[in-house]
Amino acid sequence: QHHIDPPSLVEDLGDDQLLRRRLDDAKLDLWARGISPNLDEIVRFGNNLQDQVNGMETWQSQVAKQGPIRKARYASYHHNKKTKPRQKQKQQLANKNDMMLSWISMLHGGGDNVISSSSTAAAMKTKIQQLTQHYGSAFAQAIEQNQQEHDQDCQESCRYFYCAPASSLSPNNNNKTTQDQTLEDLIGTNRTTIRSYSMGAVPPEDFADEFGFPLDLIKVTQGQPLFSRDEAKHVIDMAESEGLSSNEYVSGKYKLGGDWLTKLPQTRQWFNEKLEKTMFPLLSFLFPEIVSHPSMLRAHSVSLLKYNASHPRTDVHIDNGILAMTLAMTPQDEYQGGGTFFEHFAVTSSNSHDDTTSMDSTILPMDVGHATLRPGSVRHGGQRVTRGTRYILGAFLLIEDRVEHVRRLKNRGSDLRSAGNLDAAAQHFEWALALNPRCTTCLKDWAEILHKQQRYEEAEAKIRQALELLEYKDSDALFTLGMLLSEQGKDQECMDAYRQSLALNSEDAELLYNLGVKIGEQPNNGDRIEEILMYKRCIELDPIGFGGAWLNLGTILAEDGNLDDAETMFIKALGSSKPLEVKPKAMINLALIYHNKVGQAFQQQDIDAAKAAVLQAASYLDSAKPLLDQVSSFESGMQQYQSQYNTLRLACHRNLGQIYAGTGDLALCEEEFRRATDAFPTEIQAWQMLGRVLEIQGKKEAMQDVISKIQQLQSIKGGRF
Ligand SMILES: O=C(O)CCC(=O)C(=O)O
Ligand SMILES: [Fe+2]
């Protein structure tokens, strides 16, 4: 009956034909949202086609911003594609046409394309049955466990957070359904509107069809706030008086301030009222296909986060719930930086927020009293706050009648992985992917397991699959890809992946460090300037986490002959948060610098300076020794440092002995060389030094002992070869 144009045809369309298609497209979208523009209305936009297209598209985007399609739905379309970033433009065009064609089939009565929630539920049931046949009872048990965990989580939620009384669900209850109400009915103001943003290339992990992906599913309130600046201030004051600031969380690489609402009862009371009166009705209004009634919503993992200088940001992450919301609790004029960060905004031109005054297109603008409501699986983060304090209230949500099998299987996989049960973990990711082949977090977690098992090629395949789905907009996946390529010796590709990752998230200290090291490993030391820049950016972000960056900077400077600056770098490295890995190396490097100064002082015949430098070098070496003894020599590069230690320490004994001899203090000289033979009893050189000072002093008997010791050592050494 109808066919879908292959993408190549799209490009060949003439201008007029393309405009006509866009006009139809806008018409169909409006129609799907319950508006049927007639010819008069279209002509009002102008006499030529271009003006009509512009007018219709503006109208359509305004309507679209109010929420997802409510009166009708179109078939989910699956872009089964291998998108390369540069092909994106063409692909988007093709996808638009796919959608249009499926709507045409609806217009012609193609009712089987319309998704009803009962038909998707039935489809899910069938899929689970099929997968049970394929995977066996272990799969069925895992599904059963999902249901149990879901029920428990919902019950637990109701212990702390607002849950509608059971009666609100009764069929006799004559309330209008949310779908029939306007935003004004729901939240009591006609001055609040909704703005929608794309959630990127990857659909929600669960219930993507019901959500209506690829519609713009990140919803932000605009205009009249949901609560006032004063109300927000009151809540923050209350939370602070309840001890908000005594807690701290860890979010990936960062520490986060704030606390759970379960621990802040008064703040929770305020929040619960907001849930009942505003947020649950609003969520049901905005996501009617998935939230059949406000009473179905459950809140869990609700926290009030506090960003400031000591707790500036979160990692990029996904939230653990089918839906998530963020309430802005601080006026934008009270802090700098901050905001919710979305990596996929960076290059997506199709986002509807081009006209904002925000400098950074990856940050979603949201002032106090406003809310962001979105599928939980969208990647996002709390942007670094550079001045002042910013509070937000974040909540993960569940829906009573919707068990998220993909998310739950994946989470259990992650737990199994943490517990070291890698095979069972991989099994869970396989199951989750069987339910949703576009679960990118499943692919990423699985890749990390394969990485740990040193199955680099398989891991690379999985991570690339995830990256294709993400249109390469995931800094963490690109980072993992870089590491996998590095393991396989593909250095150029590795550096490309790291650089792409950096373009998305310039604030990843580990990434900056790894890229710097990789550049430094290249023949002729790679691009020194880029390498140095990476280390500098790394230590700016994290001055103690990456002592290796200070070490490498120091080494580069020392190689350039700039020993004073090199020394400063090595001293900084001593402050590393990983003392065993970094400190002994820093100390040995510092000893090397001082050893060098000894040589210079000798040349200038400045004996006092030479002595001071030797003592300093020796002191660094003596502090390094117990640390060196603790680290395994298998640790990368450690063996080299251990032999450096021996050479340098012996040299210090020799230099100090010579200085004493030079000032005529032979007793002190002998004492120093005896220390050398005590510390290095198998080093012939040490005995030879001692022998010489004994000879000068005419201590014949003692010298005889030393000579026989040397002969003994020489015979052992000789016998070995
Ligand atoms: O700080 C923000 O805007 C986002 C914080 C966050 O991760 C969340 O609310 O889920
Ligand atoms: Fe979050």
Side-chain angles (χ1 to χ4, degrees):
Q1 221 178 26
H2 66 271
H3 70 284
I4 291 176
D5 287 348
S8 62
L9 283 183
V10 174
E11 278 197 329
D12 299 332
L13 291 173
D15 282 353
D16 250 25
Q17 226 173 330
L18 205 54
L19 285 174
R20 243 176 259 289
R21 285 213 166 179
R22 280 169 58 188
L23 192 71
D24 284 347
D25 214 359
K27 239 195 288 188
L28 285 161
D29 185 88
L30 284 164
W31 171 84
R33 294 167 197 275
I35 297 169
S36 306
N38 59 34
L39 198 57
D40 286 350
E41 284 169 306
I42 297 173
V43 171
R44 264 215 318 264
F45 292 122
N47 284 331
N48 72 44
L49 198 52
Q50 181 70 62
D51 291 343
Q52 291 172 359
V53 168
N54 292 346
M56 286 291 285
E57 285 183 348
T58 309
W59 185 6
Q60 177 259 332
S61 73
Q62 275 160 0
V63 174
K65 277 171 192 161
Q66 287 159 15
I69 293 169
R70 292 194 282 140
K71 299 278 195 269
R73 287 177 217 115
Y74 60 85
S76 70
Y77 82 101
H78 301 280
H79 42 187
N80 186 12
K81 56 178 183 179
K82 292 258 179 287
T83 326
K84 298 242 159 50
R86 62 179 174 286
Q87 289 176 355
K88 203 177 154 274
Q89 204 65 29
K90 190 164 127 190
Q91 281 286 356
Q92 274 179 349
L93 224 49
N95 292 339
K96 237 183 161 179
N97 269 356
D98 290 353
M99 265 190 272
M100 189 187 78
L101 287 162
S102 55
W103 285 340
I104 289 173
S105 86
M106 282 167 60
L107 276 171
H108 294 291
D112 39 318
N113 274 341
V114 179
I115 291 167
S116 71
S117 66
S118 62
S119 77
T120 45
M124 184 53 141
K125 217 173 160 184
T126 311
K127 197 158 188 184
I128 287 173
Q129 276 166 359
Q130 285 166 349
L131 291 173
T132 302
Q133 291 211 326
H134 181 73
Y135 289 117
S137 63
F139 177 79
Q141 274 164 23
I143 292 292
E144 178 55 33
Q145 197 174 339
N146 292 345
Q147 176 76 56
Q148 281 167 14
E149 281 176 7
H150 175 82
D151 293 344
Q152 273 165 16
D153 286 350
C154 286
Q155 259 180 35
E156 173 81 6
S157 159
C158 294
R159 285 181 50 201
Y160 296 102
F161 297 106
Y162 170 77
C163 286
S167 61
S168 66
L169 270 172
S170 104
N172 300 331
N173 188 327
N174 255 348
N175 280 348
K176 286 197 275 185
T177 66
T178 337
Q179 278 89 335
D180 296 329
Q181 292 175 293
T182 65
L183 195 53
E184 189 178 354
D185 293 340
L186 287 165
I187 58 177
T189 157
N190 62 355
R191 288 167 56 213
T192 302
T193 55
I194 303 293
R195 188 161 207 183
S196 307
Y197 296 81
S198 156
M199 69 172 281
V202 178
E205 276 174 6
D206 286 279
F207 306 108
D209 290 345
E210 288 89 332
F211 265 112
F213 182 86
L215 290 177
D216 292 347
L217 292 172
I218 299 174
K219 307 286 176 186
V220 189
T221 61
Q222 310 279 303
Q224 171 95 8
L226 303 174
F227 49 90
S228 70
R229 188 180 179 127
D230 285 348
E231 187 172 351
K233 183 173 172 3
H234 170 72
V235 175
I236 295 305
D237 289 347
M238 187 159 65
E240 285 290 4
S241 76
E242 290 189 283
L244 175 72
S245 296
S246 54
N247 184 57
E248 189 175 71
Y249 309 95
V250 174
S251 157
K253 303 184 270 290
Y254 303 99
K255 279 190 287 188
L256 261 179
D259 211 340
W260 300 112
L261 253 64
T262 46
K263 287 158 67 185
L264 310 170
Q266 284 177 289
T267 314
R268 193 171 75 228
Q269 203 178 338
W270 174 83
F271 178 70
N272 278 334
E273 198 162 308
K274 276 280 164 286
L275 283 184
E276 177 181 0
K277 300 275 159 54
T278 312
M279 301 318 296
F280 281 173
L282 185 56
L283 280 155
S284 174
F285 175 78
L286 292 173
F287 301 99
E289 289 88 352
I290 187 148
V291 185
S292 62
H293 192 271
S295 61
M296 289 294 163
L297 285 159
R298 302 286 173 265
H300 77 102
S301 305
V302 187
S303 53
L304 186 55
L305 296 186
K306 177 180 185 175
Y307 298 93
N308 56 19
S310 57
H311 299 84
R313 59 165 291 182
T314 73
D315 243 331
V316 180
H317 63 279
I318 64 172
D319 289 340
N320 212 7
I322 186 161
L323 288 166
M325 69 182 189
T326 307
L327 302 181
M329 304 300 291
T330 307
Q332 275 176 325
D333 54 29
E334 287 183 14
Y335 58 88
Q336 273 170 23
T340 318
F341 164 79
F342 293 90
E343 266 175 350
H344 68 273
F345 282 6
V347 242
T348 311
S349 57
S350 63
N351 273 304
S352 45
H353 67 306
D354 310 326
D355 56 312
T356 62
T357 50
S358 161
M359 294 290 286
D360 186 343
S361 69
T362 58
I363 307 300
L364 196 149
M366 180 169 69
D367 208 347
V368 65
H370 283 288
T372 302
L373 309 153
R374 58 181 185 266
S377 60
V378 192
R379 272 173 69 76
H380 67 282
Q383 176 77 347
R384 177 180 294 271
V385 168
T386 52
R387 235 199 58 202
T389 305
R390 170 181 181 251
Y391 294 89
I392 62 112
L393 217 154
F396 304 162
L397 305 164
L398 302 175
I399 303 173
E400 178 77 46
D401 60 352
R402 294 199 183 270
V403 182
E404 301 148 78
H405 289 299
V406 178
R407 179 173 69 85
R408 289 190 183 276
L409 287 174
K410 180 198 69 182
N411 283 353
R412 214 169 307 130
S414 302
D415 291 346
L416 286 162
R417 182 183 150 205
S418 308
N421 196 344
L422 299 189
D423 291 333
Q427 178 67 85
H428 279 72
F429 297 134
E430 186 180 343
W431 288 340
L433 282 159
L435 285 172
N436 175 10
R438 296 166 81 183
C439 174
T440 50
T441 45
C442 304
L443 288 164
K444 289 192 285 178
D445 280 7
W446 198 350
E448 280 172 25
I449 290 181
L450 293 164
H451 184 178
K452 191 155 184 201
Q453 294 171 325
Q454 303 184 346
R455 292 155 67 178
Y456 302 124
E457 277 175 41
E458 292 162 82
E460 184 189 334
K462 292 266 182 281
I463 205 80
R464 283 197 188 275
Q465 213 179 324
L467 278 164
E468 293 281 337
L469 290 167
L470 288 151
E471 295 181 342
Y472 285 83
K473 280 173 214 134
D474 180 329
S475 55
D476 294 319
L478 284 163
F479 180 46
T480 307
L481 176 64
M483 290 202 291
L484 289 167
L485 291 164
S486 171
E487 299 280 13
Q488 297 173 81
K490 301 177 187 169
D491 279 8
Q492 288 304 324
E493 285 179 73
C494 157
M495 289 188 290
D496 284 349
Y498 282 160
R499 289 192 182 105
Q500 277 186 60
S501 174
L502 204 56
L504 289 172
N505 179 8
S506 58
E507 285 213 356
D508 188 330
E510 188 180 7
L511 169 64
L512 287 158
Y513 177 62
N514 283 12
L515 180 53
V517 170
K518 192 46 82 182
I519 294 167
E521 280 171 12
Q522 298 314 298
N524 308 318
N525 295 322
D527 180 344
R528 270 285 153 105
I529 293 179
E530 194 191 2
E531 182 186 359
I532 291 171
L533 183 67
M534 294 305 128
Y535 296 144
K536 284 193 169 160
R537 286 169 61 182
C538 166
I539 54 195
E540 216 172 283
L541 285 169
D542 185 352
I544 62 164
F546 295 87
W550 292 111
L551 282 180
N552 291 355
L553 271 178
T555 307
I556 292 172
L557 287 163
E559 280 170 7
D560 284 349
N562 184 350
L563 294 188
D564 288 342
D565 287 343
E567 180 181 353
T568 312
M569 300 298 137
F570 292 136
I571 288 172
K572 289 278 193 186
L574 292 177
S576 164
S577 62
K578 295 172 206 143
L580 269 192
E581 277 168 47
V582 176
K583 258 188 167 174
K585 294 181 182 176
M587 286 166 172
I588 303 245
N589 279 311
L590 283 162
L592 247 173
I593 286 183
Y594 277 90
H595 179 66
N596 205 289
K597 288 187 182 176
V598 176
Q600 285 171 2
F602 273 145
Q603 266 181 2
Q604 290 160 11
Q605 303 187 334
D606 184 344
I607 298 302
D608 287 343
K611 187 175 166 190
V614 178
L615 289 173
Q616 184 63 66
S619 148
Y620 277 128
L621 291 167
D622 291 344
S623 317
K625 177 74 173 139
L627 297 174
L628 279 175
D629 288 344
Q630 279 179 62
V631 286
S632 142
S633 54
F634 294 110
E635 167 107 33
S636 87
M638 249 337 154
Q639 219 161 4
Q640 179 201 331
Y641 280 93
Q642 263 149 354
S643 79
Q644 278 260 23
Y645 167 84
N646 292 342
T647 313
L648 279 174
R649 192 65 189 91
L650 206 57
C652 285
H653 286 304
R654 187 182 58 237
N655 285 333
L656 197 53
Q658 268 171 12
I659 289 169
Y660 290 136
T663 57
D665 201 333
L666 293 179
L668 272 181
C669 173
E670 182 186 335
E671 221 174 278
E672 185 62 31
F673 289 157
R674 282 208 184 276
R675 272 191 215 116
T677 54
D678 285 349
F680 300 97
T682 58
E683 279 291 341
I684 293 174
Q685 204 192 33
W687 292 104
Q688 284 169 335
M689 299 185 315
L690 179 59
R692 209 156 310 131
V693 70
L694 292 171
E695 188 182 7
I696 297 169
Q697 294 176 102
K699 295 185 176 175
K700 290 217 173 95
E701 214 170 302
M703 200 182 115
Q704 264 317 312
D705 289 347
V706 169
I707 288 170
S708 56
K709 182 80 193 173
I710 291 173
Q711 282 165 349
Q712 194 192 336
L713 283 172
Q714 272 167 342
S715 72
I716 295 172
K717 206 175 165 189
R720 251 207 240 147
F721 292 96

